[in-house]
């Protein structure tokens, strides 16, 4: 099982952690919500939890809680800018459907 991070996402995380002045990386997970059932959650973290699956790419640590890993195995986290919008984009091969607003997905 694996989750990956693009160079663009790693640069953004590194820059944010530097501004923040602390932190070891980001934790990616899923929560139950929205019209399709699941939504991604992403948070900056200061410590690696013992139960976390740990992935490291481009000098950035990416942690995933064990319950979420089954839903996001194979996901690539990217950071994109399109016009005036910018943010993280999740490319998850397990997604079967996404709601119209793009906030939630179904496996």
């Amino acid at each position: 099982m694996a989750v990956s991070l693009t160079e663009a996402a790693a640069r953004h995380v590194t820059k944010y952690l530097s501004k923040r002045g602390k932190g070891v990386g980001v934790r990616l997970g899923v929560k139950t919500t929205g019209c399709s059932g699941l939504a991604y959650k992403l948070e900056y973290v200061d410590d690696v939890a013992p139960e976390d699956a740990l992935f490291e790419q481009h000098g950035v640590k990416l942690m995933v809680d064990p319950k979420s890993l089954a839903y996001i195995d194979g996901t690539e986290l990217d950071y994109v800018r399109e016009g005036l919008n910018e943010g993280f984009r999740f490319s998850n091969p397990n997604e079967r459907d996404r709601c119209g607003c793009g906030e939630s997905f179904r496996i």
Side-chain angles (χ1 to χ4, degrees):
M1 294 193 153
V3 177
S4 61
L5 190 71
T6 66
E7 284 186 54
R11 274 193 308 271
H12 181 76
V13 169
T14 301
K15 185 167 55 171
Y16 184 83
L17 288 174
S18 177
K19 281 183 185 178
R20 191 172 175 250
K22 62 179 181 175
V24 296
V26 292
R27 180 173 291 114
L28 175 60
V30 295
K31 60 183 177 180
T32 305
T33 189
C35 47
S36 288
L38 296 170
Y40 296 105
K41 62 179 182 175
L42 188 66
E43 61 186 355
Y44 293 94
V45 294
D46 297 329
D47 296 306
V48 178
E51 67 274 6
D52 282 338
L54 179 62
F55 305 96
E56 188 166 349
Q57 286 188 302
H58 311 291
V60 172
K61 289 183 174 131
L62 178 64
M63 284 120 327
V64 180
D65 68 87
K67 290 180 180 179
S68 296
L69 190 55
Y71 297 109
I72 58 176
D73 182 33
T75 297
E76 180 183 66
L77 179 62
D78 194 8
Y79 191 82
V80 294
R81 292 179 186 191
E82 294 174 342
L84 298 175
N85 298 318
E86 64 181 274
F88 287 103
R89 179 178 294 160
F90 305 91
S91 297
N92 184 346
N94 303 305
E95 277 188 29
R96 298 292 172 244
D97 192 23
R98 199 174 262 247
C99 73
C101 63
E103 292 295 318
S104 62
F105 67 97
R106 184 183 351 245
I107 298 291

